[in-house]
């Protein structure tokens, strides 16, 4: 419902390969850790975004999207739904081409704002599930 097949395909294949993963830390038991690993295996550069600014999967972390000193193509959001809307707004502010809210992360107002700003968005889906389906 919040990301048709064409939008999913476009984000995964055409929006660019630098993915900021908001909520990614070195905690191996968290979903973000495994999803970031899958994204890397499919050729994406992951950028950990977490208050601790840890290096994860060999990539330097940053405390916020605004701290990243280079362009980000896609912002993948692993925070609670209540916190996700401001992250989508920050993604727009840094010029991201797309925003991806993970499974269970839903903010309909943020979805509408982001799409109205001309930014591709998928919500309540996982790129680690979708990317292998592309064939």
């Amino acid at each position: 419902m919040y990301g048709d097949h064409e939008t999913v395909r476009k984000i995964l294949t055409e929006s660019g390969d630098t993915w900021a993963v908001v909520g990614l830390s070195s905690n191996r038991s968290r979903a973000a850790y495994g999803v970031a690993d899958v994204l890397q295996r499919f050729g994406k550069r992951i950028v950990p975004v977490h208050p601790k600014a840890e290096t994860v999967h060999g990539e330097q972390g940053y405390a916020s999207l605004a701290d990243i000193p280079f362009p980000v193509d896609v912002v993948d959001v692993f925070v609670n739904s209540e916190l996700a809307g401001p992250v989508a707004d920050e993604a727009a502010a840094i010029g991201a081409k797309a925003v991806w809210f993970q499974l269970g992360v839903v903010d309909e107002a943020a979805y509408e704002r982001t799409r109205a700003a001309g930014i591709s968005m998928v919500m309540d889906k996982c790129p680690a599930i979708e990317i292998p389906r592309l064939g």
Side-chain angles (χ1 to χ4, degrees):
M1 178 174 173
Y2 299 110
D4 59 88
H5 179 73
E6 185 57 29
T7 301
V8 167
R9 189 199 61 73
K10 178 182 175 189
I11 292 173
L12 291 171
T13 64
E14 299 174 18
S15 292
D17 291 332
T18 301
W19 284 55
V21 183
V22 178
L24 175 58
S25 72
S26 61
N27 184 341
R28 293 173 181 256
S29 67
R30 303 291 297 186
Y33 191 89
V35 170
D37 182 55
V38 171
L39 289 170
Q40 276 189 320
R41 284 188 280 140
F42 279 88
K44 308 299 182 190
R45 176 185 184 190
I46 58 109
V47 183
V49 179
H50 188 279
K52 294 180 183 177
E54 299 173 298
T55 297
V56 183
H57 296 303
E59 294 287 347
Q60 169 64 50
Y62 297 90
S64 72
L65 290 173
D67 291 340
I68 301 172
F70 48 83
V72 169
D73 300 310
V74 181
V75 175
D76 189 6
V77 182
F78 279 92
V79 299
N80 292 330
S81 296
E82 300 78 41
L83 305 173
V87 175
D89 297 338
E90 290 173 39
I94 66 163
K97 298 173 191 164
V99 175
W100 193 299
F101 281 10
Q102 283 294 312
L103 286 171
V105 180
V106 176
D107 181 329
E108 293 180 11
Y111 182 80
E112 294 303 325
R113 276 195 316 275
T114 302
R115 291 180 44 102
I119 300 168
S120 297
M121 185 164 179
V122 170
M123 185 165 70
D124 196 25
K125 290 187 183 288
C126 179
I129 293 170
E130 300 297 330
I131 202 167
R133 293 180 178 170
L134 297 177

